[in-house]
Amino acid sequence: MAVTMKSRCVFLGAPGAGKGTQAKKLAAAGSVPHISTGDMLRAQVAAGTTLGRQAKGCMDAGQLVPDDVIVAMVVARIAEPDARAAWILDGFPRTLPQAEALDRNLSRASALSLVVSFAVPEPVLVGRLAGRRTCGKCGAIWHVQNHPTRRPGLCDACGGELVQRSDDRPEAVGKRLEVYRSQTAPLLAYYRDHRLLREIDADRSPDVVYQELLKLMQ
Ligand code: AMP
């Protein structure tokens, strides 16, 4: 179903909150770019670029890649022709300096329209991350219990092999949640103050969350 959506949206949430899944679906329905900084960094790692080599250490340790690196990457991406009018930013900003840099780079005419926060209790996040598997070929996201494939280890969509993200291993998950609490959660107050924040209870099925998201877009 084609969807009319707010033009420039930020999806905020802890790792495992489901923002990537929702962003992918909504962006496809609204024909707008889904800009995931995590996906962009993983593509750089896979391609073996200098940026990818720099980022990999931080990512595997569950830490954030330095602000200046990420900001430069996002500013270049939103200047591309397909992103002039609308986009969904997924996983960016993640720190206050990133949010301020984004504001500085958006003119009044191209300001943010909406920030959606996906709220999920921490024990649920841990379970989601531990069981998350990604198709190495098409990028589809599965879960060993909550959203299993018909053939274990193989993607239902394309038959590709499923892999666990290196930063979904237990050693990195605790660090990522701590980074979220200390560095990203303060953005909720920032965007609340800017009257842009809307919160969604994302501890529900993806379909229910998506329906709520569609209501917010109207
Ligand atoms: P994600 O796929 O959004 O969970 O991101 C995976 C990893 O990429 C994060 O744990 C960080 O190491 C890095 N990353 C993604 N987005 C950002 C960002 N906005 N700022 C800093 N690091 C990021």
Side-chain angles (χ1 to χ4, degrees):
M1 184 187 64
V3 165
T4 313
M5 51 171 292
K6 305 261 187 198
S7 36
R8 294 175 188 84
C9 301
V10 162
F11 281 12
L12 264 185
K19 54 192 188 310
T21 303
Q22 298 294 340
K24 197 182 272 185
K25 189 167 173 182
L26 185 65
S31 301
V32 303
H34 167 208
I35 303 177
S36 156
T37 43
D39 285 351
M40 290 168 83
L41 290 171
R42 280 183 287 279
Q44 296 283 333
V45 172
T49 63
T50 309
L51 170 58
R53 281 195 299 276
Q54 284 169 348
K56 190 173 179 353
C58 302
M59 295 169 79
D60 285 351
Q63 282 162 349
L64 295 183
V65 172
D67 286 337
D68 53 345
V69 174
I70 286 286
V71 168
M73 193 176 84
V74 171
V75 167
R77 178 65 187 89
I78 61 180
E80 284 178 28
D82 68 323
R84 293 256 160 79
W87 30 254
I88 299 175
L89 275 178
D90 159 19
F92 179 94
R94 254 175 159 101
T95 66
L96 221 38
Q98 290 179 16
E100 289 163 354
L102 179 63
D103 286 346
R104 279 197 301 278
N105 276 281
L106 297 174
S107 67
R108 193 172 289 185
S110 67
L112 281 181
S113 339
L114 179 69
V115 176
V116 183
S117 157
F118 293 77
V120 177
E122 210 168 289
V124 178
L125 294 172
V126 172
R128 285 188 183 178
L129 294 170
R132 176 160 72 179
R133 298 291 181 273
T134 309
C135 174
K137 209 162 128 197
C138 74
I141 301 166
W142 304 93
H143 189 281
V144 290
Q145 273 126 25
N146 308 344
H147 187 35
T149 52
R150 284 189 297 273
R151 292 171 298 167
L154 294 177
C155 179
D156 280 0
C158 75
E161 222 169 287
L162 303 189
V163 290
Q164 182 176 38
R165 277 172 47 172
S166 48
D167 58 353
D168 279 348
R169 302 215 174 95
E171 316 82 84
V173 164
K175 180 69 195 163
R176 287 165 71 205
L177 292 173
E178 182 199 313
V179 165
Y180 174 78
R181 280 194 299 271
S182 62
Q183 302 200 52
T184 309
L187 294 182
L188 297 175
Y190 179 83
Y191 286 123
R192 200 174 286 124
D193 288 350
H194 286 68
R195 299 184 185 285
L196 286 168
L197 188 76
R198 302 296 298 270
E199 293 183 72
I200 287 189
D201 170 6
D203 184 14
R204 295 177 295 172
S205 78
D207 287 344
V208 173
V209 173
Y210 187 66
Q211 290 310 317
E212 194 155 320
L213 201 49
L214 289 181
K215 283 190 214 144
L216 286 189
M217 290 296 144
Q218 283 162 8

CSV table of all heavy atoms in Angstrom, one decimal, residues 41-69:
chain,number,residue,atom,x,y,z
A,41,LEU,N,27.6,1.7,7.5
A,41,LEU,CA,28.9,1.3,8.0
A,41,LEU,C,29.2,-0.1,7.7
A,41,LEU,O,30.3,-0.4,7.4
A,41,LEU,CB,28.9,1.6,9.6
A,41,LEU,CG,28.9,3.0,10.0
A,41,LEU,CD1,28.7,3.1,11.5
A,41,LEU,CD2,30.2,3.7,9.6
A,42,ARG,N,28.2,-1.0,7.9
A,42,ARG,CA,28.5,-2.4,7.6
A,42,ARG,C,28.9,-2.6,6.1
A,42,ARG,O,29.7,-3.4,5.8
A,42,ARG,CB,27.2,-3.3,7.9
A,42,ARG,CG,27.2,-3.6,9.4
A,42,ARG,CD,26.0,-4.5,9.8
A,42,ARG,NE,24.7,-3.8,9.7
A,42,ARG,CZ,24.2,-3.0,10.6
A,42,ARG,NH1,24.8,-2.9,11.8
A,42,ARG,NH2,23.0,-2.5,10.5
A,43,ALA,N,28.3,-1.8,5.2
A,43,ALA,CA,28.6,-1.8,3.8
A,43,ALA,C,30.1,-1.4,3.6
A,43,ALA,O,30.8,-2.0,2.8
A,43,ALA,CB,27.7,-1.0,2.9
A,44,GLN,N,30.5,-0.4,4.4
A,44,GLN,CA,31.9,0.0,4.3
A,44,GLN,C,32.9,-1.0,4.8
A,44,GLN,O,33.9,-1.3,4.3
A,44,GLN,CB,32.1,1.3,5.1
A,44,GLN,CG,31.3,2.5,4.6
A,44,GLN,CD,32.0,3.2,3.4
A,44,GLN,OE1,33.2,3.1,3.2
A,44,GLN,NE2,31.1,3.8,2.6
A,45,VAL,N,32.4,-1.7,5.9
A,45,VAL,CA,33.3,-2.8,6.5
A,45,VAL,C,33.4,-3.9,5.4
A,45,VAL,O,34.5,-4.4,5.1
A,45,VAL,CB,32.7,-3.3,7.8
A,45,VAL,CG1,33.4,-4.6,8.3
A,45,VAL,CG2,32.7,-2.3,8.9
A,46,ALA,N,32.3,-4.3,4.8
A,46,ALA,CA,32.3,-5.4,3.9
A,46,ALA,C,33.1,-5.1,2.6
A,46,ALA,O,33.8,-5.9,2.1
A,46,ALA,CB,30.8,-5.7,3.4
A,47,ALA,N,33.1,-3.8,2.3
A,47,ALA,CA,33.9,-3.4,1.1
A,47,ALA,C,35.4,-3.2,1.4
A,47,ALA,O,36.2,-2.9,0.5
A,47,ALA,CB,33.3,-2.1,0.5
A,48,GLY,N,35.7,-3.2,2.7
A,48,GLY,CA,37.1,-3.1,3.2
A,48,GLY,C,37.7,-1.7,2.9
A,48,GLY,O,38.9,-1.5,2.7
A,49,THR,N,36.8,-0.6,3.0
A,49,THR,CA,37.3,0.7,2.8
A,49,THR,C,38.1,1.2,4.1
A,49,THR,O,38.0,0.6,5.1
A,49,THR,CB,36.2,1.7,2.6
A,49,THR,OG1,35.3,1.7,3.7
A,49,THR,CG2,35.3,1.3,1.3
A,50,THR,N,38.8,2.4,3.9
A,50,THR,CA,39.5,2.9,5.1
A,50,THR,C,38.5,3.2,6.2
A,50,THR,O,38.7,2.9,7.4
A,50,THR,CB,40.2,4.2,4.7
A,50,THR,OG1,40.9,4.0,3.5
A,50,THR,CG2,41.1,4.8,5.8
A,51,LEU,N,37.3,3.8,5.8
A,51,LEU,CA,36.3,4.1,6.8
A,51,LEU,C,35.8,2.8,7.5
A,51,LEU,O,35.6,2.8,8.7
A,51,LEU,CB,35.1,4.9,6.1
A,51,LEU,CG,33.8,5.0,7.0
A,51,LEU,CD1,34.1,5.8,8.3
A,51,LEU,CD2,32.8,5.8,6.1
A,52,GLY,N,35.6,1.8,6.7
A,52,GLY,CA,35.1,0.5,7.2
A,52,GLY,C,36.1,-0.1,8.2
A,52,GLY,O,35.7,-0.6,9.3
A,53,ARG,N,37.4,0.0,7.9
A,53,ARG,CA,38.4,-0.5,8.8
A,53,ARG,C,38.5,0.3,10.1
A,53,ARG,O,38.6,-0.3,11.2
A,53,ARG,CB,39.8,-0.5,8.1
A,53,ARG,CG,40.0,-1.6,7.1
A,53,ARG,CD,41.5,-1.8,6.8
A,53,ARG,NE,42.0,-0.6,6.1
A,53,ARG,CZ,41.9,-0.4,4.8
A,53,ARG,NH1,41.3,-1.2,4.0
A,53,ARG,NH2,42.5,0.7,4.3
A,54,GLN,N,38.3,1.6,10.0
A,54,GLN,CA,38.3,2.4,11.2
A,54,GLN,C,37.0,2.1,12.1
A,54,GLN,O,37.1,2.0,13.3
A,54,GLN,CB,38.1,3.9,10.9
A,54,GLN,CG,39.4,4.5,10.4
A,54,GLN,CD,39.2,5.9,9.8
A,54,GLN,OE1,38.0,6.3,9.6
A,54,GLN,NE2,40.2,6.7,9.5
A,55,ALA,N,35.9,1.9,11.4
A,55,ALA,CA,34.6,1.7,12.1
A,55,ALA,C,34.5,0.3,12.8
A,55,ALA,O,33.9,0.2,13.8
A,55,ALA,CB,33.4,1.9,11.2
A,56,LYS,N,35.1,-0.7,12.1
A,56,LYS,CA,34.9,-2.1,12.6
A,56,LYS,C,35.2,-2.3,14.0
A,56,LYS,O,34.5,-2.9,14.8
A,56,LYS,CB,35.7,-3.0,11.7
A,56,LYS,CG,35.3,-4.5,12.0
A,56,LYS,CD,35.9,-5.4,11.0
A,56,LYS,CE,35.6,-6.9,11.2
A,56,LYS,NZ,34.9,-7.3,12.4
A,57,GLY,N,36.3,-1.7,14.5
A,57,GLY,CA,36.8,-1.9,15.9
A,57,GLY,C,35.7,-1.4,16.8
A,57,GLY,O,35.3,-2.0,17.8
A,58,CYS,N,35.2,-0.2,16.6
A,58,CYS,CA,34.2,0.5,17.4
A,58,CYS,C,32.9,-0.4,17.4
A,58,CYS,O,32.3,-0.7,18.5
A,58,CYS,CB,33.8,1.8,17.0
A,58,CYS,SG,35.1,3.0,16.9
A,59,MET,N,32.5,-0.8,16.2
A,59,MET,CA,31.3,-1.6,16.1
A,59,MET,C,31.3,-2.9,16.8
A,59,MET,O,30.4,-3.2,17.6
A,59,MET,CB,30.9,-1.8,14.6
A,59,MET,CG,30.6,-0.5,13.9
A,59,MET,SD,30.6,-0.7,12.1
A,59,MET,CE,28.9,-1.3,11.9
A,60,ASP,N,32.4,-3.6,16.6
A,60,ASP,CA,32.5,-4.9,17.3
A,60,ASP,C,32.5,-4.8,18.8
A,60,ASP,O,32.1,-5.7,19.5
A,60,ASP,CB,33.8,-5.7,16.8
A,60,ASP,CG,33.6,-6.2,15.4
A,60,ASP,OD1,32.4,-6.2,14.9
A,60,ASP,OD2,34.5,-6.7,14.8
A,61,ALA,N,33.1,-3.7,19.3
A,61,ALA,CA,33.1,-3.5,20.7
A,61,ALA,C,31.8,-2.9,21.3
A,61,ALA,O,31.7,-2.7,22.5
A,61,ALA,CB,34.3,-2.6,21.1
A,62,GLY,N,30.9,-2.6,20.4
A,62,GLY,CA,29.6,-2.1,20.9
A,62,GLY,C,29.7,-0.6,21.1
A,62,GLY,O,28.8,0.0,21.8
A,63,GLN,N,30.8,0.1,20.7
A,63,GLN,CA,30.9,1.5,20.9
A,63,GLN,C,30.5,2.3,19.7
A,63,GLN,O,30.4,1.8,18.6
A,63,GLN,CB,32.4,1.8,21.2
A,63,GLN,CG,32.7,1.4,22.7
A,63,GLN,CD,34.2,1.3,22.9
A,63,GLN,OE1,35.0,1.3,22.0
A,63,GLN,NE2,34.5,1.2,24.2
A,64,LEU,N,30.4,3.6,19.9
A,64,LEU,CA,30.0,4.5,18.8
A,64,LEU,C,31.2,4.8,17.9
A,64,LEU,O,32.3,5.0,18.5
A,64,LEU,CB,29.3,5.7,19.3
A,64,LEU,CG,28.0,5.5,20.0
A,64,LEU,CD1,27.4,6.9,20.4
A,64,LEU,CD2,27.0,4.7,19.1
A,65,VAL,N,31.0,5.0,16.6
A,65,VAL,CA,32.0,5.5,15.7
A,65,VAL,C,32.0,7.0,16.0
A,65,VAL,O,31.0,7.6,16.3
A,65,VAL,CB,31.5,5.2,14.3
A,65,VAL,CG1,32.4,5.8,13.2
A,65,VAL,CG2,31.5,3.7,14.1
A,66,PRO,N,33.2,7.7,15.9
A,66,PRO,CA,33.3,9.1,16.2
A,66,PRO,C,32.3,10.0,15.5
A,66,PRO,O,32.0,9.7,14.3
A,66,PRO,CB,34.8,9.4,15.8
A,66,PRO,CG,35.5,8.1,15.9
A,66,PRO,CD,34.5,7.1,15.6
A,67,ASP,N,31.8,11.0,16.2
A,67,ASP,CA,30.8,11.9,15.7
A,67,ASP,C,31.1,12.5,14.3
A,67,ASP,O,30.3,12.5,13.4
A,67,ASP,CB,30.5,13.0,16.6
A,67,ASP,CG,29.7,12.6,17.9
A,67,ASP,OD1,29.0,11.5,17.8
A,67,ASP,OD2,29.8,13.2,18.9
A,68,ASP,N,32.4,13.0,14.2
A,68,ASP,CA,32.7,13.7,12.9
A,68,ASP,C,32.7,12.7,11.7
A,68,ASP,O,32.2,13.1,10.6
A,68,ASP,CB,34.1,14.4,13.0
A,68,ASP,CG,35.2,13.4,13.5
A,68,ASP,OD1,34.9,12.3,14.0
A,68,ASP,OD2,36.4,13.8,13.3
A,69,VAL,N,33.0,11.5,11.9
A,69,VAL,CA,33.0,10.5,10.8
A,69,VAL,C,31.5,10.3,10.4
A,69,VAL,O,31.2,10.3,9.2
A,69,VAL,CB,33.6,9.2,11.3
A,69,VAL,CG1,33.5,8.1,10.3
A,69,VAL,CG2,35.1,9.4,11.7
